[in-house]
Amino acid sequence: MSTVTITAADINKLRQATGAGMMDCRKALTETNGDFEAAIDWLRKQGQKVAAKRSDREAKEGVIIAKTSADNKTGFVVCISCETDFVSKNADFVAFAQTIADAAVANNVKSAEELSEVVINGSKVADMINDKLAAIGEKIGIAKFERVEAPYVASYIHGAYRMGVLVGLSSEAAEAGKDVAMQIAAMNPLAVDANSIPAETIERERAIVVDTMKADPKMAGKPDDMIAKIAEGKLNAFFKENTLLAQAFVKDGSITVEAYLKNAGNITVTGFKRVALG
């Protein structure tokens, strides 16, 4: 029995993250003693269609700017958050976010904390944010900062500043960079390839697959080695769906992203970042 009080806010948080029903979320949290990540796994083991955990962190409202340095060797994503879409859609607030992102590029900053200390026209970014907060009456801040370095970095902003993508490539390729950045925006991969996915994530996925199969009446009596073999096949499907290079290319579903990049000049992806508003 759970020793943790499950609140309506806990249930709503799990509903927002998984799309599962209220009663299912309550039961999941109760069964896992309020452990949020374990509750997600519990729902998946019950056959619920729950999105895989993603590395990008979502802010509810705000403006996301993705930019690169003039030589395209460094890319920056800056998310300036706010509380309402009324503010995020305001031209002055968008311009404010652009100014801060420009400062990140100009000063080649390495972190959100460093960006907060950058001086623009005599004022620190942190002070400018406080002044803007006082002026508009909403809590705002640097909600997310990402940086990518590579021989060539492409940037992409999607959906009226609601998503920003950076992708690092092994060589200059503007068209391919834009195509791959749009792929990342649309398909939200977990990693570049299977080798880039943390071992604990793979083991977590394998455990969910195995437990789900063992609970399936149709698998009753099947030996463990057969279940393990089937699980590996399902993991391969997981990699195909969730790793960038193995995904079907959105502009031509007959080839993978890896094949597209090979045809574009044996280009490799060195890394990527995707930041989205929720």
Side-chain angles (χ1 to χ4, degrees), residues 104-169:
V105 176
N107 291 273
N108 194 26
V109 300
K110 308 296 192 299
S111 66
E113 292 74 20
E114 186 178 338
L115 179 56
S116 294
E117 296 300 310
V118 168
V119 175
I120 302 174
N121 296 328
S123 298
K124 284 185 179 181
V125 167
D127 294 333
M128 293 171 61
I129 287 174
N130 286 334
D131 290 345
K132 181 66 71 173
L133 185 156
I136 66 176
E138 286 193 10
K139 182 179 179 180
I140 67 171
I142 303 173
K144 190 72 175 176
F145 174 89
E146 296 289 358
R147 173 189 167 100
V148 169
E149 292 183 82
Y152 182 84
V153 180
S155 64
Y156 174 65
I157 299 173
H158 178 74
Y161 304 105
R162 297 191 67 82
M163 182 189 298
V165 175
L166 300 173
V167 57
L169 302 177

Side-chain angles (χ1 to χ4, degrees), residues 11-72:
I11 295 168
N12 186 57
K13 179 183 176 183
L14 188 58
R15 289 186 70 191
Q16 292 294 323
T18 65
M22 181 178 70
M23 296 306 295
D24 289 330
C25 289
R26 179 186 293 277
K27 187 171 183 180
L29 288 165
T30 301
E31 292 289 331
T32 59
N33 208 28
D35 186 316
F36 188 80
E37 293 298 327
I40 293 176
D41 288 355
W42 187 92
L43 287 168
R44 295 184 66 198
K45 289 175 182 179
Q46 307 310 306
Q48 296 269 6
K49 297 294 184 181
V50 175
K53 186 179 179 182
R54 291 297 192 255
S55 60
D56 52 319
R57 292 291 177 263
E58 296 182 346
K60 289 299 180 183
E61 292 297 340
V63 171
I64 296 174
I65 308 295
K67 301 179 76 74
T68 66
S69 56
D71 61 5
N72 284 99

